[in-house]
Amino acid sequence: MTDRPPAPSDYELRETLDLLSTVMASVSDRVDAQTEVLDRVNKTATEARQAAFAAKAQTDPTHYGELVGQAIDGKINDNLVRMRRMATDLLKVSNRTQEVLKKAEDDRSTAQRSIWEREQKMDRLKARLPWFALGAVVLALAMSLLLPRFLASNASTCAALRASWTTTTTGVDACVFYME
C-alpha cells in the first residue's frame, strides 16, 4: 500500500485557498497592469508606425515631385500660357511680315522691270532721234519750198496771206504780193 500523506485540515485548505486567491488577485492585477502597459506600447507603436508612414510619404521622391510639380504648375502655368500666346502672336506677325516683304520685293522687281523697259524705249528713241531730226529738216525744207506754192494756188488762201489773186498776161492765175 501506498502511504498517502494525511489530508490537510479545513483550516489549512482555507488558508491555502486564501493564499491562492491572493496570489491570483495579485497575478490578475499584474496582468491588468501589463495589459495597460502593452496597450500603451501598442498605441505608441501604432502612432510610431503612422508617423513612419507619414514621414515616408513626405520623403517619397515621387510624391514630393508631384507636390513640387503642382506648386510649379500653379505658379508658372499662367506665365507659360501667356508665353505660348505671345509666341503664337510673334509667329503670326513674322508670317505677315514675310508676306509684306515678299510683296514689297515683288513690287520692287515690277518697278525695276518697268524702269528698265522705259529706259529701253528711251534708248530706242535716242537711237532714232537723229533720223527724226533729219526727217524734220527735210520736211521743213520741202514745206518752205512747196507750202507757199500750194497756198498760193488757191484764191481764198491767197487772200488769207494778204496777197492779190490776179491773172497774168499769159492767162495764168497767180497770187501776187505787191510792195507799197
Side-chain angles (χ1 to χ4, degrees):
M1 322 204 186
T2 59
D3 285 324
R4 281 190 179 211
S9 69
D10 283 343
Y11 174 74
E12 287 176 344
L13 282 176
R14 240 183 272 134
E15 251 183 55
T16 303
L17 194 57
D18 279 342
L19 276 176
L20 279 176
S21 56
T22 302
V23 168
M24 282 302 280
S26 176
V27 168
S28 175
D29 287 342
R30 285 184 187 169
V31 167
D32 286 344
Q34 287 179 353
T35 303
E36 286 178 18
V37 169
L38 285 176
D39 283 345
R40 280 186 288 186
V41 167
N42 190 21
K43 182 179 176 186
T44 304
T46 303
E47 288 174 355
R49 200 175 312 119
Q50 288 173 347
F53 283 133
K56 181 181 177 185
Q58 288 297 321
T59 59
D60 182 25
T62 305
H63 178 70
Y64 187 70
E66 288 174 3
L67 291 176
V68 168
Q70 289 172 357
I72 289 173
D73 280 347
K75 296 292 182 186
I76 65 171
N77 193 32
D78 291 340
N79 289 335
L80 289 175
V81 168
R82 275 189 270 135
M83 287 172 58
R84 191 175 301 124
R85 283 185 198 142
M86 190 182 312
T88 302
D89 291 343
L90 286 174
L91 181 62
K92 288 178 184 177
V93 168
S94 174
N95 289 341
R96 178 66 181 137
T97 302
Q98 285 179 348
E99 290 172 8
V100 168
L101 288 175
K102 175 73 172 140
K103 174 102 171 75
E105 179 67 25
D106 291 344
D107 290 347
R108 184 183 66 82
S109 296
T110 302
Q112 284 180 339
R113 191 176 318 111
S114 175
I115 291 170
W116 181 79
E117 288 172 357
R118 285 185 202 149
E119 287 176 353
Q120 292 298 315
K121 286 180 183 178
M122 289 297 293
D123 289 343
R124 285 192 300 267
L125 182 64
K126 286 178 185 177
R128 293 180 187 157
L129 191 59
W131 293 105
F132 288 136
L134 180 62
V137 168
V138 169
L139 182 64
L141 284 174
M143 293 291 283
S144 65
L145 294 174
L146 297 175
L147 186 61
R149 184 163 184 83
F150 173 73
L151 289 176
S153 66
N154 188 337
S156 58
T157 55
C158 184
L161 292 173
R162 295 187 182 188
S164 302
W165 188 258
T166 59
T167 304
T168 63
T169 55
T170 59
V172 177
D173 294 329
C175 184
V176 179
F177 291 94
Y178 294 108
M179 295 219 179
E180 297 181 23

